[in-house]
Amino acid sequence: QETTFRVTARVISDQRVILLCFLDVTDVEQAGQMRRDFVANVSHELRTPLTALMGFIETLRGPARGDAEARDRFLDIMEGEAGRMNRLVGDLLSLSRVEGDERVRPRDQVNLTALLASVLRTLKPLAADAGVVFEEDFGAGDVMLTGDADQLMQVFTNLIENAIKYGASGGRVTVRLDRSERDPALRAPGVRVHVIDYGAGIDTIHLPRLTERFYRADSHRSRALGGTGLGLAIVKHIINRHRGHLKIDSELGHGAQFTVVLPLQIAAVGSESQS
Ligand code: ADP
């Protein structure tokens, strides 16, 4: 990895000494580059459906004018493209909200078991359409933790939706909850939620970058399934806010397992501890 220095030179008053100052600006440069990449990505992702919409409008005004069958077909496609833009804008807003919240400690008491059951209930029709059945293994008793209920709902919705979308060929999705008095990754009482599918899996070379904004292991498939490429980035920020971890285990052809590790109590950090 390259390091970038900003160098300033100053001649000291007697003209015989030059003071050189090296300032490491690698982080600043990287942040700037990431911001530029993000804007380029967003523009590209928005421009694709917009270009399609403009093309269809032109066709409806010209060659397809008066052709009722073509008009209905094109309107369906245009609705799909508008829906894609709508999802993208929704995910961008979610991402910016969760990035902004990251330093604020969540404080609700959340019943994680009930929350997972509710997410599964909501997603059941989607799973049924894809030919997927859920296997639930929540153990005994309710697990309570400190967190942000809406955001945790979003984490598990995104992960289970992905398991249905990308793992449909496996025919089932397992959601397992394990509570432990001392989680090895947290060194504190914690809970692990595993979302497991038995579908096509992910080539291991993609795993380290999967939570980056707009990173897709299979771009064609993601777009065909209506993905925005932002779901796992949102998941990662919410889990960071909860001082947890996300583990991804997968191999091509062997399904995928996403494990969310969450502390039962979120330790106070820095100045927040007084608030
Ligand atoms: P998308 O909107 O494209 O689904 P995500 O951020 O949710 O974006 O996921 C990023 C990429 O990770 C997806 O495009 C897909 O290639 C891959 N992926 C996520 N979950 C799974 C899964 N359960 N099985 C296989 N690939 C997955």
Side-chain angles (χ1 to χ4, degrees), residues 162-163 165-166 197 201-202 210 215-218 222 227-232 258:
N162 277 351
K165 269 193 323 195
Y166 298 107
D197 72 70
I202 308 159
L210 223 51
Y215 190 88
R216 293 160 164 116
D218 181 340
S222 158
T228 61
L230 294 175
L232 290 180
F258 289 74

mmCIF file with all atom_site columns, all heavy atoms in Angstrom, residues 162-163 165-166 197 201-202 210 215-218 222 227-232 258, ligand 1:
data_model
loop_
_atom_site.group_PDB
_atom_site.id
_atom_site.type_symbol
_atom_site.label_atom_id
_atom_site.label_alt_id
_atom_site.label_comp_id
_atom_site.label_asym_id
_atom_site.label_entity_id
_atom_site.label_seq_id
_atom_site.pdbx_PDB_ins_code
_atom_site.Cartn_x
_atom_site.Cartn_y
_atom_site.Cartn_z
_atom_site.occupancy
_atom_site.B_iso_or_equiv
_atom_site.pdbx_formal_charge
_atom_site.auth_seq_id
_atom_site.auth_comp_id
_atom_site.auth_asym_id
_atom_site.auth_atom_id
_atom_site.pdbx_PDB_model_num
ATOM   1   N N   . ASN A 1 162 ? -31.464 -12.131 0.803   1.00 0.00 ? 162 ASN A N   1
ATOM   2   C CA  . ASN A 1 162 ? -30.356 -12.588 -0.044  1.00 0.00 ? 162 ASN A CA  1
ATOM   3   C C   . ASN A 1 162 ? -30.315 -14.115 -0.109  1.00 0.00 ? 162 ASN A C   1
ATOM   4   O O   . ASN A 1 162 ? -30.097 -14.695 -1.172  1.00 0.00 ? 162 ASN A O   1
ATOM   5   C CB  . ASN A 1 162 ? -29.008 -12.085 0.494   1.00 0.00 ? 162 ASN A CB  1
ATOM   6   C CG  . ASN A 1 162 ? -28.712 -10.671 0.043   1.00 0.00 ? 162 ASN A CG  1
ATOM   7   O OD1 . ASN A 1 162 ? -29.426 -10.122 -0.799  1.00 0.00 ? 162 ASN A OD1 1
ATOM   8   N ND2 . ASN A 1 162 ? -27.671 -10.070 0.590   1.00 0.00 ? 162 ASN A ND2 1
ATOM   9   N N   . ALA A 1 163 ? -30.503 -14.760 1.069   1.00 0.00 ? 163 ALA A N   1
ATOM   10  C CA  . ALA A 1 163 ? -30.455 -16.229 1.106   1.00 0.00 ? 163 ALA A CA  1
ATOM   11  C C   . ALA A 1 163 ? -31.550 -16.807 0.208   1.00 0.00 ? 163 ALA A C   1
ATOM   12  O O   . ALA A 1 163 ? -31.342 -17.815 -0.481  1.00 0.00 ? 163 ALA A O   1
ATOM   13  C CB  . ALA A 1 163 ? -30.620 -16.720 2.545   1.00 0.00 ? 163 ALA A CB  1
ATOM   14  N N   . LYS A 1 165 ? -33.005 -15.115 -2.414  1.00 0.00 ? 165 LYS A N   1
ATOM   15  C CA  . LYS A 1 165 ? -32.729 -14.720 -3.799  1.00 0.00 ? 165 LYS A CA  1
ATOM   16  C C   . LYS A 1 165 ? -31.615 -15.557 -4.413  1.00 0.00 ? 165 LYS A C   1
ATOM   17  O O   . LYS A 1 165 ? -31.754 -16.094 -5.504  1.00 0.00 ? 165 LYS A O   1
ATOM   18  C CB  . LYS A 1 165 ? -32.246 -13.255 -3.825  1.00 0.00 ? 165 LYS A CB  1
ATOM   19  C CG  . LYS A 1 165 ? -33.336 -12.241 -3.992  1.00 0.00 ? 165 LYS A CG  1
ATOM   20  C CD  . LYS A 1 165 ? -32.837 -10.834 -4.324  1.00 0.00 ? 165 LYS A CD  1
ATOM   21  C CE  . LYS A 1 165 ? -31.564 -10.357 -3.687  1.00 0.00 ? 165 LYS A CE  1
ATOM   22  N NZ  . LYS A 1 165 ? -31.332 -8.912  -3.772  1.00 0.00 ? 165 LYS A NZ  1
ATOM   23  N N   . TYR A 1 166 ? -30.476 -15.626 -3.690  1.00 0.00 ? 166 TYR A N   1
ATOM   24  C CA  . TYR A 1 166 ? -29.301 -16.257 -4.298  1.00 0.00 ? 166 TYR A CA  1
ATOM   25  C C   . TYR A 1 166 ? -29.215 -17.748 -3.993  1.00 0.00 ? 166 TYR A C   1
ATOM   26  O O   . TYR A 1 166 ? -28.452 -18.459 -4.647  1.00 0.00 ? 166 TYR A O   1
ATOM   27  C CB  . TYR A 1 166 ? -28.016 -15.558 -3.824  1.00 0.00 ? 166 TYR A CB  1
ATOM   28  C CG  . TYR A 1 166 ? -27.952 -14.111 -4.234  1.00 0.00 ? 166 TYR A CG  1
ATOM   29  C CD1 . TYR A 1 166 ? -28.127 -13.095 -3.297  1.00 0.00 ? 166 TYR A CD1 1
ATOM   30  C CD2 . TYR A 1 166 ? -27.759 -13.755 -5.558  1.00 0.00 ? 166 TYR A CD2 1
ATOM   31  C CE1 . TYR A 1 166 ? -28.091 -11.766 -3.678  1.00 0.00 ? 166 TYR A CE1 1
ATOM   32  C CE2 . TYR A 1 166 ? -27.723 -12.427 -5.947  1.00 0.00 ? 166 TYR A CE2 1
ATOM   33  C CZ  . TYR A 1 166 ? -27.889 -11.434 -4.998  1.00 0.00 ? 166 TYR A CZ  1
ATOM   34  O OH  . TYR A 1 166 ? -27.865 -10.120 -5.383  1.00 0.00 ? 166 TYR A OH  1
ATOM   35  N N   . ASP A 1 197 ? -27.849 -20.716 3.635   1.00 0.00 ? 197 ASP A N   1
ATOM   36  C CA  . ASP A 1 197 ? -28.565 -21.243 2.475   1.00 0.00 ? 197 ASP A CA  1
ATOM   37  C C   . ASP A 1 197 ? -27.723 -22.319 1.805   1.00 0.00 ? 197 ASP A C   1
ATOM   38  O O   . ASP A 1 197 ? -26.538 -22.477 2.117   1.00 0.00 ? 197 ASP A O   1
ATOM   39  C CB  . ASP A 1 197 ? -28.945 -20.121 1.491   1.00 0.00 ? 197 ASP A CB  1
ATOM   40  C CG  . ASP A 1 197 ? -27.748 -19.578 0.743   1.00 0.00 ? 197 ASP A CG  1
ATOM   41  O OD1 . ASP A 1 197 ? -27.192 -20.298 -0.105  1.00 0.00 ? 197 ASP A OD1 1
ATOM   42  O OD2 . ASP A 1 197 ? -27.353 -18.422 1.006   1.00 0.00 ? 197 ASP A OD2 1
ATOM   43  N N   . GLY A 1 201 ? -23.733 -20.468 -3.641  1.00 0.00 ? 201 GLY A N   1
ATOM   44  C CA  . GLY A 1 201 ? -22.550 -20.043 -2.896  1.00 0.00 ? 201 GLY A CA  1
ATOM   45  C C   . GLY A 1 201 ? -21.799 -18.903 -3.580  1.00 0.00 ? 201 GLY A C   1
ATOM   46  O O   . GLY A 1 201 ? -22.231 -18.359 -4.600  1.00 0.00 ? 201 GLY A O   1
ATOM   47  N N   . ILE A 1 202 ? -20.665 -18.535 -2.988  1.00 0.00 ? 202 ILE A N   1
ATOM   48  C CA  . ILE A 1 202 ? -19.888 -17.379 -3.458  1.00 0.00 ? 202 ILE A CA  1
ATOM   49  C C   . ILE A 1 202 ? -18.425 -17.802 -3.568  1.00 0.00 ? 202 ILE A C   1
ATOM   50  O O   . ILE A 1 202 ? -17.897 -18.425 -2.633  1.00 0.00 ? 202 ILE A O   1
ATOM   51  C CB  . ILE A 1 202 ? -19.988 -16.216 -2.441  1.00 0.00 ? 202 ILE A CB  1
ATOM   52  C CG1 . ILE A 1 202 ? -21.449 -15.909 -2.107  1.00 0.00 ? 202 ILE A CG1 1
ATOM   53  C CG2 . ILE A 1 202 ? -19.280 -14.967 -2.950  1.00 0.00 ? 202 ILE A CG2 1
ATOM   54  C CD1 . ILE A 1 202 ? -21.650 -15.180 -0.796  1.00 0.00 ? 202 ILE A CD1 1
ATOM   55  N N   . LEU A 1 210 ? -17.232 -8.242  -0.027  1.00 0.00 ? 210 LEU A N   1
ATOM   56  C CA  . LEU A 1 210 ? -18.670 -8.347  -0.231  1.00 0.00 ? 210 LEU A CA  1
ATOM   57  C C   . LEU A 1 210 ? -19.495 -7.245  0.443   1.00 0.00 ? 210 LEU A C   1
ATOM   58  O O   . LEU A 1 210 ? -20.589 -6.917  -0.017  1.00 0.00 ? 210 LEU A O   1
ATOM   59  C CB  . LEU A 1 210 ? -19.134 -9.721  0.266   1.00 0.00 ? 210 LEU A CB  1
ATOM   60  C CG  . LEU A 1 210 ? -20.119 -10.481 -0.589  1.00 0.00 ? 210 LEU A CG  1
ATOM   61  C CD1 . LEU A 1 210 ? -19.685 -10.582 -2.025  1.00 0.00 ? 210 LEU A CD1 1
ATOM   62  C CD2 . LEU A 1 210 ? -20.354 -11.861 -0.006  1.00 0.00 ? 210 LEU A CD2 1
ATOM   63  N N   . TYR A 1 215 ? -20.411 -3.558  -4.369  1.00 0.00 ? 215 TYR A N   1
ATOM   64  C CA  . TYR A 1 215 ? -19.644 -4.740  -4.776  1.00 0.00 ? 215 TYR A CA  1
ATOM   65  C C   . TYR A 1 215 ? -20.598 -5.919  -4.950  1.00 0.00 ? 215 TYR A C   1
ATOM   66  O O   . TYR A 1 215 ? -21.410 -6.213  -4.075  1.00 0.00 ? 215 TYR A O   1
ATOM   67  C CB  . TYR A 1 215 ? -18.572 -5.084  -3.728  1.00 0.00 ? 215 TYR A CB  1
ATOM   68  C CG  . TYR A 1 215 ? -17.622 -6.150  -4.234  1.00 0.00 ? 215 TYR A CG  1
ATOM   69  C CD1 . TYR A 1 215 ? -16.489 -5.791  -4.952  1.00 0.00 ? 215 TYR A CD1 1
ATOM   70  C CD2 . TYR A 1 215 ? -17.886 -7.503  -4.040  1.00 0.00 ? 215 TYR A CD2 1
ATOM   71  C CE1 . TYR A 1 215 ? -15.627 -6.757  -5.456  1.00 0.00 ? 215 TYR A CE1 1
ATOM   72  C CE2 . TYR A 1 215 ? -17.027 -8.472  -4.544  1.00 0.00 ? 215 TYR A CE2 1
ATOM   73  C CZ  . TYR A 1 215 ? -15.905 -8.093  -5.247  1.00 0.00 ? 215 TYR A CZ  1
ATOM   74  O OH  . TYR A 1 215 ? -15.064 -9.053  -5.748  1.00 0.00 ? 215 TYR A OH  1
ATOM   75  N N   . ARG A 1 216 ? -20.500 -6.581  -6.078  1.00 0.00 ? 216 ARG A N   1
ATOM   76  C CA  . ARG A 1 216 ? -21.346 -7.737  -6.339  1.00 0.00 ? 216 ARG A CA  1
ATOM   77  C C   . ARG A 1 216 ? -20.475 -8.897  -6.790  1.00 0.00 ? 216 ARG A C   1
ATOM   78  O O   . ARG A 1 216 ? -19.553 -8.701  -7.589  1.00 0.00 ? 216 ARG A O   1
ATOM   79  C CB  . ARG A 1 216 ? -22.341 -7.446  -7.453  1.00 0.00 ? 216 ARG A CB  1
ATOM   80  C CG  . ARG A 1 216 ? -23.398 -6.393  -7.075  1.00 0.00 ? 216 ARG A CG  1
ATOM   81  C CD  . ARG A 1 216 ? -23.989 -5.836  -8.337  1.00 0.00 ? 216 ARG A CD  1
ATOM   82  N NE  . ARG A 1 216 ? -25.234 -5.125  -8.144  1.00 0.00 ? 216 ARG A NE  1
ATOM   83  C CZ  . ARG A 1 216 ? -25.367 -3.823  -8.385  1.00 0.00 ? 216 ARG A CZ  1
ATOM   84  N NH1 . ARG A 1 216 ? -24.337 -3.095  -8.789  1.00 0.00 ? 216 ARG A NH1 1
ATOM   85  N NH2 . ARG A 1 216 ? -26.542 -3.250  -8.239  1.00 0.00 ? 216 ARG A NH2 1
ATOM   86  N N   . ALA A 1 217 ? -20.787 -10.105 -6.266  1.00 0.00 ? 217 ALA A N   1
ATOM   87  C CA  . ALA A 1 217 ? -20.011 -11.279 -6.688  1.00 0.00 ? 217 ALA A CA  1
ATOM   88  C C   . ALA A 1 217 ? -20.417 -11.657 -8.110  1.00 0.00 ? 217 ALA A C   1
ATOM   89  O O   . ALA A 1 217 ? -19.589 -12.065 -8.916  1.00 0.00 ? 217 ALA A O   1
ATOM   90  C CB  . ALA A 1 217 ? -20.255 -12.442 -5.726  1.00 0.00 ? 217 ALA A CB  1
ATOM   91  N N   . ASP A 1 218 ? -21.706 -11.534 -8.389  1.00 0.00 ? 218 ASP A N   1
ATOM   92  C CA  . ASP A 1 218 ? -22.204 -11.896 -9.715  1.00 0.00 ? 218 ASP A CA  1
ATOM   93  C C   . ASP A 1 218 ? -23.125 -10.750 -10.147 1.00 0.00 ? 218 ASP A C   1
ATOM   94  O O   . ASP A 1 218 ? -24.313 -10.727 -9.828  1.00 0.00 ? 218 ASP A O   1
ATOM   95  C CB  . ASP A 1 218 ? -22.966 -13.234 -9.619  1.00 0.00 ? 218 ASP A CB  1
ATOM   96  C CG  . ASP A 1 218 ? -23.491 -13.682 -10.976 1.00 0.00 ? 218 ASP A CG  1
ATOM   97  O OD1 . ASP A 1 218 ? -23.608 -12.840 -11.891 1.00 0.00 ? 218 ASP A OD1 1
ATOM   98  O OD2 . ASP A 1 218 ? -23.800 -14.882 -11.109 1.00 0.00 ? 218 ASP A OD2 1
ATOM   99  N N   . SER A 1 222 ? -27.225 -10.292 -9.759  1.00 0.00 ? 222 SER A N   1
ATOM   100 C CA  . SER A 1 222 ? -27.738 -9.302  -8.806  1.00 0.00 ? 222 SER A CA  1
ATOM   101 C C   . SER A 1 222 ? -28.717 -8.355  -9.499  1.00 0.00 ? 222 SER A C   1
ATOM   102 O O   . SER A 1 222 ? -29.809 -8.076  -9.002  1.00 0.00 ? 222 SER A O   1
ATOM   103 C CB  . SER A 1 222 ? -26.568 -8.515  -8.204  1.00 0.00 ? 222 SER A CB  1
ATOM   104 O OG  . SER A 1 222 ? -27.014 -7.281  -7.708  1.00 0.00 ? 222 SER A OG  1
ATOM   105 N N   . GLY A 1 227 ? -31.241 -6.409  -7.418  1.00 0.00 ? 227 GLY A N   1
ATOM   106 C CA  . GLY A 1 227 ? -30.374 -5.970  -6.315  1.00 0.00 ? 227 GLY A CA  1
ATOM   107 C C   . GLY A 1 227 ? -29.783 -4.586  -6.559  1.00 0.00 ? 227 GLY A C   1
ATOM   108 O O   . GLY A 1 227 ? -29.563 -4.191  -7.700  1.00 0.00 ? 227 GLY A O   1
ATOM   109 N N   . THR A 1 228 ? -29.511 -3.866  -5.449  1.00 0.00 ? 228 THR A N   1
ATOM   110 C CA  . THR A 1 228 ? -28.904 -2.534  -5.575  1.00 0.00 ? 228 THR A CA  1
ATOM   111 C C   . THR A 1 228 ? -27.402 -2.592  -5.290  1.00 0.00 ? 228 THR A C   1
ATOM   112 O O   . THR A 1 228 ? -26.697 -1.619  -5.547  1.00 0.00 ? 228 THR A O   1
ATOM   113 C CB  . THR A 1 228 ? -29.527 -1.552  -4.562  1.00 0.00 ? 228 THR A CB  1
ATOM   114 O OG1 . THR A 1 228 ? -29.257 -2.059  -3.240  1.00 0.00 ? 228 THR A OG1 1
ATOM   115 C CG2 . THR A 1 228 ? -31.010 -1.395  -4.762  1.00 0.00 ? 228 THR A CG2 1
ATOM   116 N N   . GLY A 1 229 ? -26.940 -3.701  -4.711  1.00 0.00 ? 229 GLY A N   1
ATOM   117 C CA  . GLY A 1 229 ? -25.514 -3.784  -4.359  1.00 0.00 ? 229 GLY A CA  1
ATOM   118 C C   . GLY A 1 229 ? -25.186 -3.056  -3.064  1.00 0.00 ? 229 GLY A C   1
ATOM   119 O O   . GLY A 1 229 ? -24.021 -2.888  -2.716  1.00 0.00 ? 229 GLY A O   1
ATOM   120 N N   . LEU A 1 230 ? -26.224 -2.628  -2.318  1.00 0.00 ? 230 LEU A N   1
ATOM   121 C CA  . LEU A 1 230 ? -25.975 -1.860  -1.087  1.00 0.00 ? 230 LEU A CA  1
ATOM   122 C C   . LEU A 1 230 ? -26.388 -2.609  0.182   1.00 0.00 ? 230 LEU A C   1
ATOM   123 O O   . LEU A 1 230 ? -26.072 -2.188  1.290   1.00 0.00 ? 230 LEU A O   1
ATOM   124 C CB  . LEU A 1 230 ? -26.733 -0.522  -1.141  1.00 0.00 ? 230 LEU A CB  1
ATOM   125 C CG  . LEU A 1 230 ? -26.263 0.464   -2.203  1.00 0.00 ? 230 LEU A CG  1
ATOM   126 C CD1 . LEU A 1 230 ? -27.167 1.694   -2.234  1.00 0.00 ? 230 LEU A CD1 1
ATOM   127 C CD2 . LEU A 1 230 ? -24.822 0.883   -1.944  1.00 0.00 ? 230 LEU A CD2 1
ATOM   128 N N   . GLY A 1 231 ? -27.121 -3.737  0.004   1.00 0.00 ? 231 GLY A N   1
ATOM   129 C CA  . GLY A 1 231 ? -27.703 -4.434  1.156   1.00 0.00 ? 231 GLY A CA  1
ATOM   130 C C   . GLY A 1 231 ? -26.675 -4.798  2.222   1.00 0.00 ? 231 GLY A C   1
ATOM   131 O O   . GLY A 1 231 ? -26.874 -4.518  3.404   1.00 0.00 ? 231 GLY A O   1
ATOM   132 N N   . LEU A 1 232 ? -25.567 -5.406  1.813   1.00 0.00 ? 232 LEU A N   1
ATOM   133 C CA  . LEU A 1 232 ? -24.591 -5.866  2.812   1.00 0.00 ? 232 LEU A CA  1
ATOM   134 C C   . LEU A 1 232 ? -23.791 -4.702  3.411   1.00 0.00 ? 232 LEU A C   1
ATOM   135 O O   . LEU A 1 232 ? -23.335 -4.791  4.544   1.00 0.00 ? 232 LEU A O   1
ATOM   136 C CB  . LEU A 1 232 ? -23.641 -6.905  2.206   1.00 0.00 ? 232 LEU A CB  1
ATOM   137 C CG  . LEU A 1 232 ? -24.276 -8.269  1.886   1.00 0.00 ? 232 LEU A CG  1
ATOM   138 C CD1 . LEU A 1 232 ? -23.233 -9.210  1.284   1.00 0.00 ? 232 LEU A CD1 1
ATOM   139 C CD2 . LEU A 1 232 ? -24.879 -8.901  3.139   1.00 0.00 ? 232 LEU A CD2 1
ATOM   140 N N   . PHE A 1 258 ? -24.048 -16.658 6.640   1.00 0.00 ? 258 PHE A N   1
ATOM   141 C CA  . PHE A 1 258 ? -23.779 -15.322 7.179   1.00 0.00 ? 258 PHE A CA  1
ATOM   142 C C   . PHE A 1 258 ? -24.050 -15.381 8.679   1.00 0.00 ? 258 PHE A C   1
ATOM   143 O O   . PHE A 1 258 ? -25.147 -15.750 9.090   1.00 0.00 ? 258 PHE A O   1
ATOM   144 C CB  . PHE A 1 258 ? -24.680 -14.270 6.520   1.00 0.00 ? 258 PHE A CB  1
ATOM   145 C CG  . PHE A 1 258 ? -24.303 -13.991 5.086   1.00 0.00 ? 258 PHE A CG  1
ATOM   146 C CD1 . PHE A 1 258 ? -24.591 -14.896 4.086   1.00 0.00 ? 258 PHE A CD1 1
ATOM   147 C CD2 . PHE A 1 258 ? -23.645 -12.820 4.743   1.00 0.00 ? 258 PHE A CD2 1
ATOM   148 C CE1 . PHE A 1 258 ? -24.225 -14.660 2.760   1.00 0.00 ? 258 PHE A CE1 1
ATOM   149 C CE2 . PHE A 1 258 ? -23.275 -12.557 3.428   1.00 0.00 ? 258 PHE A CE2 1
ATOM   150 C CZ  . PHE A 1 258 ? -23.565 -13.485 2.436   1.00 0.00 ? 258 PHE A CZ  1
HETATM 151 P P1  . ADP B 2 .   ? -27.420 -7.048  -3.903  1.00 0.00 ? 1   ADP B P1  1
HETATM 152 O O1  . ADP B 2 .   ? -28.401 -5.932  -3.921  1.00 0.00 ? 1   ADP B O1  1
HETATM 153 O O2  . ADP B 2 .   ? -26.635 -7.148  -5.186  1.00 0.00 ? 1   ADP B O2  1
HETATM 154 O O3  . ADP B 2 .   ? -28.017 -8.347  -3.479  1.00 0.00 ? 1   ADP B O3  1
HETATM 155 P P2  . ADP B 2 .   ? -25.872 -7.104  -1.418  1.00 0.00 ? 1   ADP B P2  1
HETATM 156 O O4  . ADP B 2 .   ? -24.980 -6.043  -0.855  1.00 0.00 ? 1   ADP B O4  1
HETATM 157 O O5  . ADP B 2 .   ? -27.019 -7.546  -0.603  1.00 0.00 ? 1   ADP B O5  1
HETATM 158 O O6  . ADP B 2 .   ? -26.307 -6.584  -2.853  1.00 0.00 ? 1   ADP B O6  1
HETATM 159 O O7  . ADP B 2 .   ? -24.960 -8.372  -1.735  1.00 0.00 ? 1   ADP B O7  1
HETATM 160 C C1  . ADP B 2 .   ? -23.743 -8.189  -2.446  1.00 0.00 ? 1   ADP B C1  1
HETATM 161 C C2  . ADP B 2 .   ? -23.448 -9.400  -3.315  1.00 0.00 ? 1   ADP B C2  1
HETATM 162 O O8  . ADP B 2 .   ? -23.161 -10.536 -2.493  1.00 0.00 ? 1   ADP B O8  1
HETATM 163 C C3  . ADP B 2 .   ? -24.602 -9.844  -4.197  1.00 0.00 ? 1   ADP B C3  1
HETATM 164 O O9  . ADP B 2 .   ? -24.619 -9.116  -5.391  1.00 0.00 ? 1   ADP B O9  1
HETATM 165 C C4  . ADP B 2 .   ? -24.299 -11.320 -4.414  1.00 0.00 ? 1   ADP B C4  1
HETATM 166 O O10 . ADP B 2 .   ? -23.390 -11.451 -5.503  1.00 0.00 ? 1   ADP B O10 1
HETATM 167 C C5  . ADP B 2 .   ? -23.581 -11.728 -3.141  1.00 0.00 ? 1   ADP B C5  1
HETATM 168 N N1  . ADP B 2 .   ? -24.442 -12.458 -2.186  1.00 0.00 ? 1   ADP B N1  1
HETATM 169 C C6  . ADP B 2 .   ? -25.050 -11.960 -1.089  1.00 0.00 ? 1   ADP B C6  1
HETATM 170 N N2  . ADP B 2 .   ? -25.718 -12.922 -0.415  1.00 0.00 ? 1   ADP B N2  1
HETATM 171 C C7  . ADP B 2 .   ? -25.512 -14.071 -1.093  1.00 0.00 ? 1   ADP B C7  1
HETATM 172 C C8  . ADP B 2 .   ? -25.922 -15.445 -0.900  1.00 0.00 ? 1   ADP B C8  1
HETATM 173 N N3  . ADP B 2 .   ? -26.692 -15.816 0.140   1.00 0.00 ? 1   ADP B N3  1
HETATM 174 N N4  . ADP B 2 .   ? -25.502 -16.361 -1.828  1.00 0.00 ? 1   ADP B N4  1
HETATM 175 C C9  . ADP B 2 .   ? -24.729 -15.998 -2.874  1.00 0.00 ? 1   ADP B C9  1
HETATM 176 N N5  . ADP B 2 .   ? -24.305 -14.733 -3.113  1.00 0.00 ? 1   ADP B N5  1
HETATM 177 C C10 . ADP B 2 .   ? -24.683 -13.776 -2.236  1.00 0.00 ? 1   ADP B C10 1
#
